[in-house]
Amino acid sequence: LKIVDNQFVISMFHKEGSYRGGSGSKRAKDTPIKKSERRKLRSTCISLLSKVDDSNNESQLSTALSTILDSIFLDSKADISLRKIKQPNAKSNAGATTIYIRSPSPLSSLDSEELNYITKWPYTKKDQPILIQMSTTTTNSNGVGMKNVMVTIPTVSLLSVLPSDTILQLPTVVIPPQVSKYICRGANVMRSGMLSIQNVNLDKTAGGRIWVCVRVQNNAQPFAVGLLTQNTTNSNILGSEDNKGVGVEIVTCYGDDIYWAQLDDSSHHNRGNTKNNNAGIVSFLGGGLYDDGHYGNVGFDSGKFVHGLVRLDLDGNDDGNNSNSNDNSKEGEKNKQDHDCIQEAGDEQKGDEDQVNTTSEVATNDMIGKLKIDPDIDDETNKKDAATSEETSDRHDQEESLLYAFHTALLVVSKKDLPMAVSTFYTQYLLPSRKEGTFLDIKQTRYKKISSFLLEQSQNTVRTECGKSIITIGPSKDEQDPVAFLTGIDRTHIDLRDAKRRRKEEVGGDNAMKEKNKMAIVNLYAIPHNVASILRLDEDTVKAVNAKSEERRGSGFLTLPECRDILNQYVHENNLIDEYDPESVILDGNLCDVLFRKSKKQTSASVQQNEYPESITRKEMNVKWIEKMDCAHAVVSMPGSVILSLKRGKPPMVTIEVECRQNRKKFITRVRGLEEYTINPNDFANDVSKRYACSATVEDEHSLTAGRAALKKGRCELVLQGHLVEELQALLTGNRKLSSHGGSKASPYSLPKGVFEIILKKGVPKRKK
């Protein structure tokens, strides 16, 4: 549901509670209706689609309309069920929207007769909604809402099966084909995009809501149904000066959830291929199969666009230019430009009755292959439509960019930052959150100001489960500006959940690129020469000749599993496993010396003599064995496990030291050890200086500050202004979460986490004050 002018209007565009419904226990349930209710629906449908107000006086109905309505509502082999959709925040079904759904017809029951109208329900594959009952508000002469009334409107699928003479009598709004793509996306029909209004009693619009069907120029089949807004007439649509505002509030249309729910994939891919799709009924009006998923109209394009149609003669020549317009139309000059394919006949039309009869004959002859998309429309109308379409396209693009940036910005704003001034939110959060490479101009949108946009978002309580708006706003202190502060954000809102999911997908690709340069430290071990000689270990095994990575082969650097495997192999070869306790190992002399013999320094320092146990558990044996190994490490690039360096000893540390100066009010940060990870100190100093707006100098062994510890040959020390421990860790690791400073973003560095040694001199706090 969506709210337009403080009224609830159903909208079938991918929203919670829409036609498709949810999943599991929350899925909408369809309830079959009784035969008596079917008869009532048939009477309601007669009053909607014809001029007969009394259902008992059905003799005035045409045979074609009466036959198809009997097939829809009174066929005992088919079901009609209803689905309830509650209004927002409603606990009961009071005022709920009701959708009536017709089951498909059996394929064997299709007509074989060649008539100029349909006698059976033509849809044989999917259920089709036929009627929608919804609550709307009537207004008085001043435009003030008076009371809620239930309005019943037909759906696109029901309109597609009606006879041509009935369609000509329906209240209709004609639009250019270029505007149809915005209607298929979910937009309303603007007055500036309407060519004409036909068969509408405009006197009723002052107090009630009149439903109208919407079609494009040169295509007689309606593709949308909506409610005509108040004071919308032929005098304030396209071509007039006062044509601002919404003309038709769309309820359902081609391209919404109803369309996607009934779309059959196999029929969609074989559309227009009569060899592969012989089964089914052809629409006399649209020239296509009803079961192709596009309501039997060849001009309906993929749920995204509706084309105009022209009729072809038997030789395949375009006959669309020979159509005659109704010069006696009440609509004036605009309707003279509206040449409908239904009204294309060889003879001139003398009146409404002759027009209906001629239309029926033409529709009877228009089968598959005799209709095609009209590439050209009247030149003057085309120019107006192109200008209108271009302006509407720019506005829609800017509004989509604004919504994208708005939802992305709300994800960044934390709870502690609220309340926040609207100007701060707009300049520091919303504008930086727009898509890369795009320009956002709010003046090109229908809001014109950010305050108008935020006010609408704070009043929209539709797409949320608990009835809350996505944001809450607050006024200024003098209460002159009602949109001065952003005071709250609903984190459970469906739009924010969608934005969060979209952001994860976008950031996931960036993280995948960053992971290619990520570094990691892998601990390695080397077996000492005396241990290998005592246990008489294989020399090739000790030197890691069969290591998986080529860099480690013959280097003597072993991984933890490889080092343990050597010990376990020795235990198995010498039968040292206790047969009564498989988890225990019996120690022989050599293994006991390796694991428990103390060095000369340890013996002289200890008063107690060496104690040698007879057995030991496997777990304790592995721990003792690793303690006797020499440490080594490898710097590995991830992903891919590419070894960058292999060295004995512990990994090199990057030392970050902070000291006070000037009475402990200012600080200096010194950094050493960047060269061990192939980082150029001079380039890094320039990068830090730009990112954090601080001074940075590089000192070598000749220019080192007096009193500092000596540097290794060829090594440098960076001297930075300020307390930058958190910032440097975030920058060097590539994890911007370690610091709130924006300069840490988009870091090209990826050092491992455990290689930092932090030294805080006397008087330096752990965190910046």
Side-chain angles (χ1 to χ4, degrees):
L1 299 175
K2 63 180 180 180
I3 299 177
V4 180
D5 298 332
N6 296 326
Q7 298 179 10
F8 290 107
V9 179
I10 186 171
S11 179
M12 301 294 177
F13 281 92
H14 305 284
K15 301 179 181 179
E16 288 188 354
S18 71
Y19 171 73
R20 286 199 229 185
S23 60
S25 60
K26 295 184 179 180
R27 185 176 179 85
K29 296 181 180 180
D30 299 336
T31 305
I33 63 175
K34 299 179 181 180
K35 186 177 295 185
S36 59
E37 294 294 332
R38 289 192 183 191
R39 294 193 185 96
K40 293 181 181 179
L41 280 181
R42 182 181 181 275
S43 300
T44 302
C45 195
I46 290 174
S47 62
L48 282 176
L49 304 177
S50 67
K51 298 179 180 179
V52 179
D53 296 331
D54 187 4
S55 59
N56 296 323
N57 191 11
E58 295 185 7
S59 59
Q60 302 179 17
L61 288 179
S62 64
T63 304
L65 179 60
S66 178
T67 303
I68 188 61
L69 291 182
D70 289 344
S71 174
I72 294 174
F73 294 100
L74 304 181
D75 188 359
S76 60
K77 297 181 180 180
D79 293 330
I80 295 181
S81 50
L82 63 85
R83 180 178 301 179
K84 293 282 188 179
I85 300 178
K86 296 180 181 179
Q87 288 191 2
N89 306 327
K91 297 182 180 179
S92 65
N93 287 331
T97 299
T98 305
I99 301 178
Y100 293 93
I101 305 168
R102 173 55 155 83
S103 64
S105 299
L107 190 61
S108 59
S109 66
L110 297 181
D111 292 344
S112 60
E113 305 179 27
E114 293 185 0
L115 301 175
N116 61 349
Y117 56 86
I118 297 170
T119 61
K120 297 288 185 181
W121 181 248
Y123 294 97
T124 64
K125 294 184 178 181
K126 293 292 186 74
D127 294 341
Q128 297 286 347
I130 53 177
L131 292 174
I132 298 176
Q133 285 185 351
M134 51 180 290
S135 176
T136 184
T137 304
T138 59
T139 58
N140 57 16
S141 58
N142 297 325
V144 180
M146 299 294 293
K147 61 179 180 179
N148 291 332
V149 296
M150 296 301 295
V151 177
T152 303
I153 61 173
T155 62
V156 180
S157 57
L158 178 60
L159 295 176
S160 67
V161 304
L162 297 181
S164 57
D165 55 349
T166 303
I167 290 182
L168 285 175
Q169 299 175 4
L170 297 179
T172 305
V173 170
V174 184
I175 64 173
Q178 295 89 340
V179 181
S180 64
K181 64 179 179 180
Y182 303 109
I183 311 303
C184 294
R185 293 181 194 170
N188 290 321
V189 181
M190 309 300 291
R191 292 175 180 171
S192 57
M194 298 167 55
L195 294 177
S196 65
I197 304 174
Q198 303 173 357
N199 304 323
V200 174
N201 187 359
L202 299 176
D203 295 336
K204 294 183 179 181
T205 57
R209 306 300 300 277
I210 295 181
W211 74 270
V212 292
C213 54
V214 181
R215 66 173 181 85
V216 301
Q217 189 180 21
N218 289 350
N219 193 330
Q221 182 170 331
F223 76 97
V225 184
L227 299 176
L228 194 68
T229 58
Q230 185 181 2
N231 299 328
T232 299
T233 63
N234 280 307
S235 61
N236 57 3
I237 59 176
L238 180 64
S240 62
E241 296 181 357
D242 185 19
N243 60 359
K244 296 182 180 180
V246 177
V248 179
E249 298 168 1
I250 297 298
V251 176
T252 179
C253 78
Y254 176 68
D256 61 6
D257 273 5
I258 292 180
Y259 160 75
W260 291 108
Q262 60 85 42
L263 186 63
D264 184 76
D265 294 336
S266 61
S267 299
H268 178 62
H269 292 306
N270 295 327
R271 185 181 186 189
N273 188 352
T274 57
K275 295 181 180 180
N276 298 332
N277 222 357
N278 289 325
I281 296 181
V282 177
S283 172
F284 296 97
L285 197 60
L289 289 171
Y290 282 103
D291 283 331
D292 69 352
H294 303 276
Y295 305 111
N297 194 291
V298 296
F300 288 14
D301 187 0
S302 305
K304 300 178 181 179
F305 197 89
V306 179
H307 301 272
L309 300 179
V310 293
R311 186 165 57 88
L312 300 180
D313 57 14
L314 295 177
D315 298 331
N317 297 324
D318 191 349
D319 195 30
N321 295 329
N322 295 327
S323 61
N324 296 322
S325 60
N326 186 6
D327 295 336
N328 297 324
S329 174
K330 299 179 182 180
E331 303 302 335
E333 292 297 326
K334 293 179 183 177
N335 287 348
K336 293 181 181 180
Q337 300 175 0
D338 187 13
H339 302 298
D340 196 320
C341 67
I342 281 185
Q343 298 172 345
E344 295 174 355
D347 298 329
E348 295 185 356
Q349 301 166 352
K350 299 180 180 180
D352 292 340
E353 295 180 359
D354 295 338
Q355 179 181 1
V356 171
N357 295 332
T358 305
T359 302
S360 272
E361 294 176 1
V362 174
T364 304
N365 296 325
D366 286 341
M367 302 295 289
I368 279 186
K370 295 185 180 181
L371 288 176
K372 75 171 186 177
I373 296 174
D374 184 7
D376 299 319
I377 307 176
D378 189 74
D379 292 339
E380 296 181 1
T381 305
N382 198 23
K383 292 179 182 179
K384 296 179 182 180
D385 296 345
T388 304
S389 176
E390 184 177 356
E391 293 177 1
T392 309
S393 176
D394 294 340
R395 181 171 62 83
H396 277 278
D397 292 341
Q398 287 294 325
E399 290 181 1
E400 289 179 0
S401 300
L402 177 61
L403 274 176
Y404 176 91
F406 172 68
H407 293 148
T408 307
L410 292 182
L411 297 176
V412 181
V413 177
S414 61
K415 188 176 181 180
K416 64 180 181 180
D417 296 330
L418 299 177
M420 178 187 296
V422 169
S423 58
T424 303
F425 173 74
Y426 179 68
T427 56
Q428 298 186 13
Y429 290 89
L430 193 144
L431 288 180
S433 299
R434 62 186 184 274
K435 292 182 180 179
E436 185 177 358
T438 60
F439 177 75
L440 180 59
D441 186 4
I442 198 170
K443 292 184 178 180
Q444 294 184 8
T445 66
R446 59 187 172 93
Y447 304 104
K448 305 303 181 183
K449 295 181 179 180
I450 186 62
S451 58
S452 301
F453 172 74
L454 295 179
L455 181 62
E456 179 179 294
Q457 295 298 321
S458 65
Q459 295 175 349
N460 188 358
T461 60
V462 175
R463 299 196 67 190
T464 180
E465 298 175 354
C466 56
K468 296 181 180 179
S469 59
I470 190 172
I471 60 171
T472 55
I473 56 177
S476 57
K477 293 182 178 180
D478 55 5
E479 296 186 355
Q480 294 184 358
D481 184 6
V483 191
F485 293 95
L486 179 66
T487 58
I489 301 173
D490 182 14
R491 306 288 179 180
T492 63
H493 199 277
I494 183 174
D495 288 338
L496 277 188
R497 295 201 300 265
D498 293 343
K500 190 174 182 179
R501 191 182 307 111
R502 181 191 68 237
R503 187 185 182 193
K504 285 184 178 179
E505 295 175 357
E506 295 174 353
V507 175
D510 298 338
N511 291 340
M513 296 299 294
K514 293 178 181 179
E515 287 178 358
K516 294 182 179 179
N517 298 324
K518 187 176 181 180
M519 293 184 184
I521 297 294
V522 178
N523 293 324
L524 300 178
Y525 304 92
I527 299 178
H529 178 71
N530 63 326
V531 173
S533 60
I534 292 175
L535 299 180
R536 299 178 182 179
L537 301 177
D538 182 59
E539 185 176 357
D540 292 341
T541 305
V542 173
K543 290 185 178 181
V545 175
N546 298 322
K548 293 182 179 180
S549 60
E550 186 177 353
E551 293 84 354
R552 289 196 299 112
R553 292 173 186 169
S555 63
F557 296 132
L558 303 169
T559 62
L560 182 60
E562 291 173 347
C563 194
R564 288 176 176 173
D565 289 342
I566 293 175
L567 176 61
N568 292 330
Q569 184 179 0
Y570 174 84
V571 170
H572 283 285
E573 289 178 353
N574 293 274
N575 297 322
L576 300 180
I577 300 177
D578 191 348
E579 59 180 352
Y580 299 105
D581 186 6
E583 295 298 325
S584 299
V585 176
I586 300 174
L587 299 176
D588 62 358
N590 294 335
L591 185 58
C592 190
D593 285 343
V594 169
L595 298 180
F596 293 97
R597 187 175 181 178
K598 297 181 181 180
S599 62
K600 293 181 179 180
K601 292 183 179 180
Q602 293 175 342
T603 304
S604 60
S606 177
V607 179
Q608 298 180 355
Q609 297 181 354
N610 289 346
E611 295 181 358
Y612 300 99
E614 295 181 357
S615 63
I616 190 175
T617 62
R618 284 177 176 268
K619 185 176 180 180
E620 293 176 352
M621 179 186 66
N622 289 328
V623 173
K624 289 289 185 180
W625 174 256
I626 296 302
E627 290 177 355
K628 297 297 180 179
M629 300 296 104
D630 293 338
C631 295
H633 71 275
V635 181
V636 182
S637 176
M638 302 294 288
S641 300
V642 179
I643 296 178
L644 302 180
S645 65
L646 285 170
K647 293 182 179 180
R648 284 183 176 269
K650 295 182 179 181
M653 304 298 290
V654 175
T655 305
I656 302 177
E657 181 180 327
V658 184
E659 61 182 26
C660 297
R661 66 185 182 92
Q662 294 185 2
N663 298 328
R664 299 183 180 181
K665 294 183 179 180
K666 295 186 178 181
F667 307 95
I668 293 178
T669 303
R670 300 179 182 272
V671 184
R672 290 189 180 190
L674 296 176
E675 297 88 349
E676 300 293 341
Y677 296 96
T678 66
I679 297 178
N680 189 312
N682 293 307
D683 295 341
F684 184 74
N686 293 332
D687 191 15
V688 172
S689 178
K690 294 177 182 178
R691 288 175 178 269
Y692 303 114
C694 63
S695 63
T697 57
V698 180
E699 298 180 352
D700 56 13
E701 53 186 338
H702 302 292
S703 60
L704 187 64
T705 303
R708 296 288 300 165
L711 293 169
K712 295 182 180 180
K713 187 176 181 180
R715 298 291 185 263
C716 299
E717 182 178 72
L718 273 67
V719 182
L720 306 174
Q721 174 190 2
H723 191 328
L724 302 177
V725 172
E726 295 178 353
E727 288 79 358
L728 290 177
Q729 283 184 291
L731 179 62
L732 289 172
T733 58
N735 184 5
R736 64 180 186 181
K737 294 182 180 179
L738 299 178
S739 173
S740 59
H741 199 292
S744 304
K745 298 180 180 179
S747 171
Y749 313 104
S750 57
L751 270 63
K753 296 181 180 180
V755 299
F756 296 99
E757 182 183 2
I758 309 300
I759 301 176
L760 302 178
K761 293 291 188 177
K762 184 177 180 181
V764 178
K766 292 183 179 180
R767 293 185 178 181
K768 293 180 290 185
K769 293 183 179 180

